[in-house]
Amino acid sequence: MEELTTIPSEILSEVKKVIHGKDDAVRTMLCAILAGGHVLLQDIPGVGKTTLAMTLKNAMSLSYKRVSFTPDVLPGDILGFKMLDKATGKLEFVPGSIYTNLFLADEINRTSPKTQSALLEVMEERRVTVEGMELSVPDPFFVIATQNPFGSSGTQRLPESQLDRFMVCLSMGYPSHKDAIDVLKGDSSKDIKTVNAVCSAEDVLRMQDAVDKIRVDESLYEYVINITEETRNPKVFELGLSPRGSIALLKMAKANAFIEKRNFVIPEDVSDVFIPVSNHRVHLNGRLVSSGRTVLDSLNDIISAVPVPKAAI
């Protein structure tokens, strides 16, 4: 495991060549990848969402395909379809774009709900059913989807069933004054070419396996569930974390421990990843929304209120 623990810091160093001042977002995205999950990047256009995905792909030497989810994109464009081969007179399967290590769904909420739902099976089971055929996607496989804030022109709200399949939801935000100057001085299209591959797809699989073996104290399982149950308080939330959300929280905590070069989880690993795992899964009570409360406020209250297990400190 020791030889693998140096790779995350090398990946982060390579990404910093292109992405300035977004260390927390980059680190959380890497955690999600090592935990075997998918990432939703939600933000206004032009803050570097797609650039971040492409930079990570280069640093990890992964196969990559990108689809811009315009309203005319069909499920067959993603999953594949059968077409008559005039030379043979037989129906031949034409693969879609999903058969790759990193699938970038660009502006996923601009396409139709039918096309959005085409991703549900493959995000959960890593396989695709097309016209009676079951096809597997490569390992490792993960989706990085970008979306503009709901309410922007031409957007469609993602259903809860799909949101729940994203391990984390992140926002890049505007750069700071200093970082904005660094962006102006650079050229992201050229900077991406300077990113060195520090690992292979096989190394990613080995790191995912190492993350899966990170030790978790019994008290921390209790801690995760206590936090989860607080998100189901109907006085605060109309929709809380699902069991899938609890599993995502534990996996992200283990990945966080791995990046910190530990073979065991501590409570801070859980609290550090709680908000990106939860913020897209919970719905705040309408009464609290009208009073000016935000999801972030309520999630932070949970972290402050739930007792930290002493046996795990």
Side-chain angles (χ1 to χ4, degrees), residues 18 20 175-188 191:
V18 182
H20 303 283
S176 67
H177 182 81
K178 179 183 178 302
D179 293 326
I181 291 174
D182 291 337
V183 171
L184 284 179
K185 288 180 178 179
D187 183 337
S188 61
D191 292 341

Side-chain angles (χ1 to χ4, degrees), residues 9-298:
S9 60
E10 294 173 3
I11 293 172
L12 296 174
S13 295
E14 290 299 317
V15 174
K16 283 183 181 180
K17 292 179 180 179
V18 182
I19 305 297
H20 303 283
K22 302 299 176 186
D23 295 354
D24 289 345
V26 174
R27 191 181 188 283
T28 302
M29 182 183 284
L30 181 58
C31 267
I33 291 170
L34 297 182
H38 310 292
V39 178
L40 180 62
L41 290 172
Q42 177 173 280
D43 220 322
I44 60 171
V47 294
K49 302 185 294 293
T50 303
T51 302
L52 172 55
M54 294 177 67
T55 305
L56 268 174
K57 175 265 299 185
N58 285 0
M60 303 173 82
S61 190
L62 299 171
S63 62
Y64 162 87
K65 289 182 182 177
R66 171 184 177 181
V67 172
S68 295
F69 275 56
T70 54
D72 58 349
V73 172
L74 300 174
D77 298 326
I78 311 300
L79 307 180
F81 55 91
K82 287 185 176 179
M83 185 173 68
L84 181 66
D85 187 329
K86 294 182 180 179
T88 63
K90 297 180 180 179
L91 288 174
E92 300 290 340
F93 180 68
V94 180
S97 303
I98 200 70
Y99 306 98
T100 186
N101 295 134
L102 191 163
F103 178 73
L104 177 59
D106 203 12
E107 297 190 319
I108 189 173
N109 60 338
R110 290 185 61 226
T111 195
S112 68
K114 184 176 181 179
T115 301
Q116 290 172 3
S117 65
L119 290 172
L120 291 176
E121 180 185 16
V122 69
M123 290 177 70
E124 183 70 15
E125 302 177 25
R126 267 64 173 179
R127 64 179 176 83
V128 173
T129 303
V130 185
E131 299 189 33
M133 300 185 300
E134 286 193 2
L135 304 167
S136 298
V137 292
D139 262 338
F141 169 79
F142 50 94
V143 174
I144 296 179
T146 70
Q147 73 168 358
N148 298 328
F150 180 70
S152 302
S153 177
T155 58
Q156 303 268 354
R157 188 185 295 274
L158 293 181
E160 280 76 13
S161 58
Q162 185 156 25
L163 286 173
D164 201 36
R165 281 166 167 78
F166 286 102
M167 186 166 279
V168 295
C169 178
L170 303 173
S171 176
M172 300 278 288
Y174 290 116
S176 67
H177 182 81
K178 179 183 178 302
D179 293 326
I181 291 174
D182 291 337
V183 171
L184 284 179
K185 288 180 178 179
D187 183 337
S188 61
S189 61
K190 293 180 181 178
D191 292 341
I192 287 178
K193 296 177 182 178
T194 70
V195 173
N196 298 312
V198 298
C199 68
S200 65
E202 289 71 25
D203 291 326
V204 175
L205 290 174
R206 290 169 62 210
M207 287 190 287
Q208 289 178 342
D209 185 58
V211 165
D212 191 52
K213 294 175 181 176
I214 295 287
R215 183 167 56 84
V216 181
D217 187 84
E218 190 68 28
S219 63
L220 285 170
Y221 288 109
E222 189 85 19
Y223 184 49
V224 169
I225 296 303
N226 288 342
I227 289 175
T228 298
E229 289 176 343
E230 285 297 315
T231 69
R232 298 170 184 168
N233 180 353
K235 295 180 180 179
V236 183
F237 297 100
E238 293 180 353
L239 179 68
L241 280 184
S242 67
R244 186 189 283 122
S246 299
I247 294 169
L249 181 57
L250 183 64
K251 287 183 176 181
M252 282 289 292
K254 291 166 77 171
N256 197 64
F258 178 81
I259 289 180
E260 291 295 325
K261 300 181 179 179
R262 280 185 274 102
N263 65 353
F264 58 92
V265 174
I266 61 175
E268 286 76 9
D269 292 321
V270 178
S271 58
D272 285 351
V273 302
F274 173 59
I275 288 176
V277 168
S278 306
N279 60 7
H280 60 301
R281 289 184 161 95
V282 299
H283 290 179
L284 201 60
N285 183 294
R287 177 178 54 81
L288 294 181
V289 172
S290 62
S291 70
R293 290 283 291 180
T294 66
V295 168
L296 185 59
D297 293 333
S298 297

